[in-house]
Amino acid sequence: MLVAFSVAPSGVGPETGPAGPSADASVHDAVAAAVKIVRQSGLPNRTDAMFTTIEGEWDEVMDVIRRATEAVGRYGSRVSLVLKADIRPGHTGELTGKVERLEKVLDAEDEYRGHS
């Protein structure tokens, strides 16, 4: 399965203190803590500006996402978690395979247009 997820802290945390959020509203430290856990898992993964996608079996993927969410929880009193999953039993290598198939179609369309 592939799971794309985004996790972010909110509320008051150790970096904001009781007076409220600091002037820097960035969540990069919290996201870095989550991505570090994903990368250390050894599962295929990719991070972009909005999501981290991870590939593996249900239990192992969900365990990594749980641990990443717990790590982000240290940066605020609440955590927002968004998940999107592609559950396709018997298929592996889809983290790159789906993109490769898409690029192949786009290249074929470009080649066709070039010959018209």
Side-chain angles (χ1 to χ4, degrees):
M1 76 184 297
L2 292 173
V3 179
F5 76 102
S6 174
V7 60
S10 63
V12 177
E15 276 71 38
T16 59
S22 65
D24 180 10
S26 177
V27 296
H28 62 269
D29 289 336
V31 172
V35 171
K36 182 177 181 181
I37 288 169
V38 171
R39 291 183 178 173
Q40 288 175 342
S41 75
L43 295 176
N45 65 84
R46 178 177 294 146
T47 299
D48 61 38
M50 298 288 294
F51 287 92
T52 293
T53 303
I54 186 169
E55 182 173 15
E57 296 299 319
W58 182 277
D59 289 340
E60 60 189 0
V61 168
M62 291 303 175
D63 178 62
V64 172
I65 292 170
R66 177 189 53 78
R67 290 187 288 119
T69 302
E70 289 170 350
V72 168
R74 292 191 286 275
Y75 291 84
S77 57
R78 298 176 81 166
V79 176
S80 173
L81 174 65
V82 176
L83 301 170
K84 181 173 183 175
D86 180 5
I87 303 164
R88 196 170 181 201
H91 289 79
T92 59
E94 291 299 287
L95 186 66
T96 56
K98 291 178 93 165
V99 176
E100 289 167 358
R101 289 189 297 277
L102 171 66
E103 292 296 339
K104 188 175 180 179
V105 169
L106 293 171
D107 288 345
E109 288 178 2
D110 287 345
E111 186 175 313
Y112 175 76
R113 284 191 191 111
H115 292 96
S116 0

